[in-house]
C-alpha cells in the first residue's frame, strides 16, 4: 500500500506542529496519561488517523501509536518500556534533531514510492489499577495568596491609617507601580516553585508563557493583568537567571530546580523590570 497524496512541505509542517505539541505536553506531564488523537486533533491542522499512519510509515521511531476503541494514543517511541518516562522528559530537547531525521526519512520514503508500512493495532488492556486517591486542599489558592505583614506601632489606629494614606499620596506613580509589582513577585514565584522539577528525571520543566499566565491567574486570588504578569516574570527571569526560549511560534519558560531559600534572598525588594 502506498500514499502519494501529501506533499513534502505539508508533511514537514505537520510533523513539526505535532512534535512541538507532544514535546510541550510531555515536558511537564511525563508521568501523566498518554496523549490521545481526539484531544489534540483540533490543535494541529490536518492531523488525522491517516496522517498519523503516514508519519509513522515515514519515520518509524517517531512515535508509539496504538488504537484504543475509537481513539488513537500517541506516545514517545522507546524500545524499553521502562525507559519511556525518561524519553518523554527529553523529547523537547531533541525537537530539532527529530525534525532533521524526519526530513531525511521523508526523502527516502518518496524514493521508495511512498509505502504505507504501518498499521494501527488495537491495544489489549489489562484490568486497570485503581488510581491512588489524591487529596486536594480545600482551597488551593490560599497558599499563594499574599498576606500583608502586620507592623507593630505605638500610633493610634486612625493615625496609622492617615500616615499610610499620606505616604501613598506622596509616592511617585513609578514608585507605587514598583511597589505593586513587588507585592506580586513572591506569590508568582510560589507558582513557579510548585511547577519546578521534583523528580530526578528532568533538569528543567518547560512551560509555555501562555499556559503559565493562565496557571498564575487560576492560582492567585488577586487582580492580575497579562501585562503585570509579564512584568513580574521579567523580574523573576532577571533575578533568578531563568531562560525563555522559542519553540516554533511558542515562547517557553525553562524552570530549573529552584532553591527557595536563596531565591527569596534574591527577590528582596528592588526595582522590578517594566520591559
Amino acid at each position: 500500500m502506498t500514499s502519494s497524496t501529501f506533499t513534502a512541505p505539508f508533511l514537514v509542517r505537520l510533523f513539526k506542529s505535532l512534535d512541538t505539541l507532544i514535546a510541550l505536553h510531555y515536558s511537564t506531564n511525563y508521568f501523566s496519561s498518554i496523549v490521545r488523537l481526539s484531544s489534540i486533533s483540533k490543535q494541529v491542522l490536518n492531523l488525522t488517523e491517516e496522517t498519523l499512519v503516514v508519519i509513522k510509515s515515514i519515520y518509524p521511531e517517531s512515535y508509539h501509536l496504538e488504537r484504543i476503541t475509537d481513539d488513537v494514543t500517541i506516545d514517545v517511541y522507546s524500545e524499553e518500556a521502562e525507559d519511556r518516562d525518561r524519553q518523554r522528559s527529553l523529547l523537547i530537547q531533541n525537537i530539532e534533531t527529530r525534525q532533521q531525521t524526519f526530513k531525511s526519512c521523508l526523502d527516502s520514503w518518496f524514493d521508495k514510492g511512498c509505502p504505507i508500512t504501518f498499521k494501527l493495532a488495537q491495544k489489549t488492556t489489562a484490568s486497570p489499577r485503581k488510581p491512588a486517591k489524591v487529596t486536594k486542599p480545600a482551597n488551593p489558592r490560599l497558599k499563594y495568596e499574599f498576606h500583608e505583614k502586620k507592623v507593630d506601632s505605638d500610633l493610634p489606629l486612625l493615625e496609622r491609617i492617615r500616615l499610610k494614606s499620606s505616604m501613598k499620596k506622596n509616592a511617585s506613580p513609578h514608585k507605587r507601580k514598583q511597589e505593586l509589582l513587588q507585592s506580586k513577585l513572591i506569590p508568582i514565584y510560589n507558582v513557579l516553585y510548585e511547577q519546578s522539577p521534583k523528580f530526578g528525571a528532568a533538569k528543567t520543566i518547560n512551560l509555555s508563557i501562555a499556559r503559565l499566565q493562565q496557571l498564575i491567574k487560576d492560582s492567585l486570588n488577586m487582580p492580575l493583568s497579562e501585562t503585570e504578569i509579564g512584568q513580574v516574570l521579567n523580574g523573576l527571569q532577571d533575578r533568578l537567571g531563568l531562560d525563555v526560549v522559542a519553540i516554533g511560534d511558542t515562547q517557553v519558560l525553562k524552570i530549573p530546580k529552584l532553591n527557595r531559600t536563596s531565591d527569596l534572598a534574591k527577590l528582596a525588594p528592588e526595582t522590578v523590570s517594566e520591559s
Side-chain angles (χ1 to χ4, degrees):
M1 181 179 179
T2 63
S3 175
S4 57
T5 307
F6 307 110
T7 65
F10 168 84
L11 291 169
V12 169
R13 285 195 301 270
L14 179 63
F15 179 76
K16 181 178 181 180
S17 299
L18 174 61
D19 214 41
T20 300
L21 183 64
I22 298 295
L24 285 173
H25 172 85
Y26 281 132
S27 69
T28 53
N29 300 279
Y30 46 89
F31 293 119
S32 73
S33 59
I34 296 172
V35 174
R36 294 176 179 267
L37 174 61
S38 60
S39 66
I40 64 169
S41 57
K42 293 182 179 180
Q43 301 177 56
V44 180
L45 188 63
N46 297 310
L47 181 64
T48 63
E49 183 176 313
E50 180 187 7
T51 53
L52 269 178
V53 169
V54 170
I55 287 174
K56 179 70 173 175
S57 296
I58 295 169
Y59 183 9
E61 292 78 24
S62 56
Y63 305 109
H64 180 78
L65 305 178
E66 285 185 318
R67 185 192 301 282
I68 298 182
T69 59
D70 296 329
D71 210 346
V72 177
T73 60
I74 310 170
D75 203 351
V76 296
Y77 178 85
S78 177
E79 294 183 354
E80 301 293 336
E82 57 270 20
D83 192 44
R84 187 155 286 148
D85 287 340
R86 188 180 69 87
Q87 292 296 333
R88 289 175 177 177
S89 68
L90 295 175
L91 185 60
I92 199 165
Q93 301 176 25
N94 299 325
I95 282 184
E96 294 296 333
T97 301
R98 285 169 58 85
Q99 289 174 8
Q100 293 301 319
T101 302
F102 180 80
K103 291 177 182 178
S104 298
C105 292
L106 183 60
D107 292 338
S108 176
W109 185 70
F110 275 117
D111 290 341
K112 294 176 182 177
C114 309
I116 299 300
T117 56
F118 176 75
K119 183 178 180 180
L120 276 168
Q122 186 75 29
K123 182 177 182 180
T124 56
T125 56
S127 299
R129 292 183 300 174
K130 186 176 181 180
K133 185 177 180 181
V134 178
T135 303
K136 294 184 178 181
N139 186 354
R141 290 185 173 187
L142 290 178
K143 65 179 178 179
Y144 296 119
E145 290 183 4
F146 175 74
H147 301 281
E148 184 177 4
K149 185 178 180 181
K150 294 182 179 180
V151 180
D152 293 330
S153 174
D154 293 331
L155 291 175
L157 176 60
L158 184 58
E159 290 300 321
R160 293 204 304 270
I161 293 174
R162 287 175 177 171
L163 178 61
K164 191 172 183 179
S165 176
S166 176
M167 291 174 64
K168 285 186 176 180
K169 289 180 180 179
N170 292 331
S172 67
H174 177 73
K175 184 176 181 181
R176 288 199 298 270
K177 179 68 173 179
Q178 295 301 316
E179 290 174 348
L180 179 63
L181 293 176
Q182 179 67 36
S183 72
K184 297 174 180 179
L185 194 67
I186 301 302
I188 290 179
Y189 169 81
N190 288 338
V191 177
L192 293 186
Y193 182 78
E194 289 298 317
Q195 300 301 315
S196 64
K198 301 297 188 299
F199 303 99
K203 294 182 179 179
T204 60
I205 293 295
N206 300 280
L207 279 179
S208 69
I209 297 299
R211 166 71 178 133
L212 184 56
Q213 287 183 332
Q214 188 59 53
L215 186 63
I216 290 169
K217 288 181 179 180
D218 292 342
S219 300
L220 300 182
N221 188 21
M222 59 172 63
L224 282 166
S225 67
E226 289 188 2
T227 299
E228 289 176 322
I229 293 174
Q231 291 170 355
V232 174
L233 287 177
N234 284 340
L236 289 170
Q237 183 183 347
D238 292 340
R239 297 197 208 178
L240 302 182
L242 304 180
D243 293 327
V244 174
V245 298
I247 299 179
D249 297 328
T250 304
Q251 293 293 314
V252 175
L253 178 67
K254 301 175 74 67
I255 307 175
K257 186 175 182 179
L258 298 174
N259 184 316
R260 186 176 180 81
T261 302
S262 62
D263 289 345
L264 291 180
K266 295 175 184 177
L267 298 179
E270 64 175 50
T271 300
V272 178
S273 171
E274 292 192 51
S275 59

